[in-house]
Amino acid sequence: LDWLITKIRQATAEFAVPYLFIDCPGQVELYTHNDVMTKITQQLIKALDVRLVAVHLIDSTLCVDAYRYLSAVFLSLSAMMQLELPHINVLSKIDMVMDHTDDLSFGLDYYAGVSDLSQLLWTLQTTRHPMSVKFKEFNRLIAELIEDYGMVSFEPLDIQDKECALRVLGRCDTANGHIMNSEKVEDPSDPVAGVRLFQAGFSDAGEFLDEYL
């Protein structure tokens, strides 16, 4: 870890406000019930005085399967609780899921908002799948736990769409406070200019989804 901290310092030394991206391994165990990544991020924050935000990517094609979607939402919640960082959940490859709209039980806004999971549970019961009967109560409890916390929602991402990618980046800038830096604010002497920019970051949250609905 000392080696990593030294390399980061060397790479960012020439920047007044460095912006650091860390591409982490895809093994979910590192973020759900193992504290190794939590310890690493805490050490980086302490040693480098950085403002980190966790960006958790979920493949949007999981939305076509209610079980896999529910599992992905629960996984996102687990990672949020474990990492203890500002957290942005992202539904990636939105352009691909649009090839399977007939397989979606709800509109994309439903899956992005993670709201009223009782509707999703109802669709599970109508499939007549043996697992739906066996795990009916288990599924209900998982959905209830997710809704009790009320922490999970997703930002849609089509990496081929520049506006969409910048929108996700804006969410990250807001979560880690980078949006409040002086170069982002038109008038740094205005004490509420940063607050207005912060609010603007959320004002158009649902507009991007319209073209996919």
Side-chain angles (χ1 to χ4, degrees):
L1 191 56
D2 290 339
W3 173 88
L4 176 61
I5 291 173
T6 300
K7 289 296 182 180
I8 292 175
R9 283 174 173 161
Q10 292 173 352
T12 60
E14 60 183 278
F15 299 100
V17 184
Y19 206 103
L20 177 67
F21 288 89
I22 303 177
D23 187 12
C24 299
Q27 287 84 355
V28 297
E29 296 83 4
L30 296 174
Y31 320 104
T32 56
H33 55 272
N34 189 305
D35 63 354
V36 61
M37 288 302 298
T38 305
K39 291 180 178 179
I40 290 175
T41 54
Q42 289 176 348
Q43 286 297 314
L44 291 177
I45 292 172
K46 182 177 180 180
L48 300 172
D49 190 28
V50 291
R51 305 294 181 265
L52 298 180
V53 55
V55 183
H56 187 204
L57 273 67
I58 294 294
D59 196 321
S60 62
T61 56
L62 296 179
C63 295
V64 303
D65 186 307
Y67 287 107
R68 296 169 70 189
Y69 170 75
L70 194 60
S71 175
V73 175
F74 189 56
L75 177 65
S76 299
L77 176 61
S78 299
M80 294 175 75
M81 301 291 288
Q82 180 71 14
L83 289 175
E84 300 178 357
L85 289 172
H87 202 102
I88 304 295
N89 293 303
V90 175
L91 276 179
S92 64
K93 305 177 184 177
I94 284 293
D95 52 315
M96 293 181 61
V97 81
M98 300 320 297
D99 296 330
H100 304 277
T101 52
D102 291 341
D103 298 323
L104 294 175
S105 301
F106 305 97
L108 191 57
D109 56 336
Y110 174 85
Y111 296 101
V114 192
S115 59
D116 195 5
L117 292 178
S118 62
Q119 296 184 47
L120 188 69
L121 295 179
W122 182 82
T123 64
L124 291 178
Q125 299 309 311
T126 59
T127 60
R128 298 183 179 180
H129 192 286
M131 301 294 283
S132 298
V133 178
K134 183 176 181 179
F135 292 103
K136 177 180 179 180
E137 183 63 14
F138 177 75
N139 292 332
R140 186 190 67 79
L141 291 174
I142 290 293
E144 186 177 290
L145 178 64
I146 292 171
E147 291 190 324
D148 282 348
Y149 276 98
M151 295 170 59
V152 184
S153 62
F154 294 96
E155 294 294 334
L157 175 62
D158 175 1
I159 197 61
Q160 305 299 326
D161 188 321
K162 181 179 179 180
E163 181 183 349
C164 177
L166 289 174
R167 188 185 303 273
V168 173
L169 180 60
R171 299 292 187 266
C172 297
D173 285 350
T174 302
N176 63 17
H178 186 64
I179 199 171
M180 305 296 285
N181 282 330
S182 58
E183 73 270 18
K184 295 273 186 176
V185 180
E186 292 184 6
D187 183 7
S189 64
D190 183 352
V192 297
V195 175
R196 286 196 296 268
L197 189 60
F198 179 90
Q199 293 173 337
F202 291 96
S203 62
D204 57 353
E207 292 180 3
F208 173 77
L209 288 173
D210 292 343
E211 63 184 273
Y212 290 99
L213 298 179

